[in-house]
Amino acid sequence: FKPPTAYQAAYQQPTGSRFGGDALFNGENRGRGAILSYYVKIDKKKEADTKKEDKKKTDSKSNDKTLKKVQGDSTNVVKWDSLTMKIYDVDRLIRTLKRKAPKESGINKWTWFMDEKGGDRPSRHIRKQTREPGGVSVKPGTYKVVISFGDQTSEEMITVKSDPRLNVSSKAIDESYNASKEIQGIRQTAADAVKQLVESKTIATDYSKSLAKLDKKKYKDQIKSSKEIIKKLDKILAIYLGKEDKRQGITSDPVINVNQRIGNASFYSGTRPNGLTTTELTLIKHAKEALKEALDKTNTFYNEEWKPYQTAMEKIDTSPFKEVKSFRLD
């Protein structure tokens, strides 16, 4: 259906009491984002065929030839288990959202939070992403929305406008958008570096555990060097993410890390209705300088510490097989 105009509404804490009590009435705000309504007809037979095809592929994994045959035959199989919504800025694909198909036919609603595709964020844990992350808020304008279900597609245009209560200039919008895109790139570089450090720490940790299990005495030196390299990795990770604090309660680290600097620059740059000021430009500058320093230390570590460690560990014969003895009864 033709979607209504979506507004990039500004939200603010109301004056007066900050936390609502039991007897204080609170109204409900209209939901954030652009609301899109669509009708979908669920054909139980097509849904059953999709499940049957999925089961066929799963059952065939034990046989390579069968798997190849099924994969070859399924290239033209139409899937009816999910819907995809793609948003375009003219011809540029800016966002892809997916959701499971509803169980029954009818009218459904889908919310797009008026954002483009985002990037990764630095994290100590590597998780497989199942959904596309959100990113920079789009500029006011007209966008094409295409919803796909099986072999069917439907498209409509949606208009996005700034909050009409605010007098936001196009110059301020462009400055905020460009700064947010720049910060997203900075954050992605930090995320890539942190991911590599986490992967390296996992490798060293696995070596330490497996060698200890095989022969603790024989591989004493290698286990020690693995633990030492893990400590060095933790120090570099702390530059990006801060030290791990296992204390309970409200805690804080007096040393500001790279991730915090990027977060501060992102928050301020994305919430300035009148364009960037010296504050935002300074925060972006500090974030870039902090990241550059962290990247230099990371690269130095890999060249001077990790490469020799990797070379030494690759030379180890970690075969679980031991010398076989012959046994006889005297």
Side-chain angles (χ1 to χ4, degrees), residues 8-12 162-169 273-274:
Q8 295 174 316
Y11 291 82
Q12 183 175 322
S162 296
D163 192 319
R165 301 168 297 179
L166 304 176
N167 185 20
V168 183
S169 68
N274 299 317

Side-chain angles (χ1 to χ4, degrees), residues 3 7 24 32 39 48 80 87 136 146 210 219 221 228 234 295:
Y7 291 95
L24 185 64
R32 291 175 180 265
Y39 174 83
W80 299 94
I87 296 112
V136 176
V146 181
S210 61
Y219 301 112
D221 294 337
E228 288 174 350
D234 281 334
L295 294 175

Side-chain angles (χ1 to χ4, degrees), residues 121 180 183 187 261-271 284:
R121 291 174 176 269
S180 296
I183 294 167
R187 180 179 275 128
R261 290 197 181 278
I262 296 173
N264 288 338
S266 176
F267 175 76
Y268 276 82
S269 299
T271 55
I284 293 172

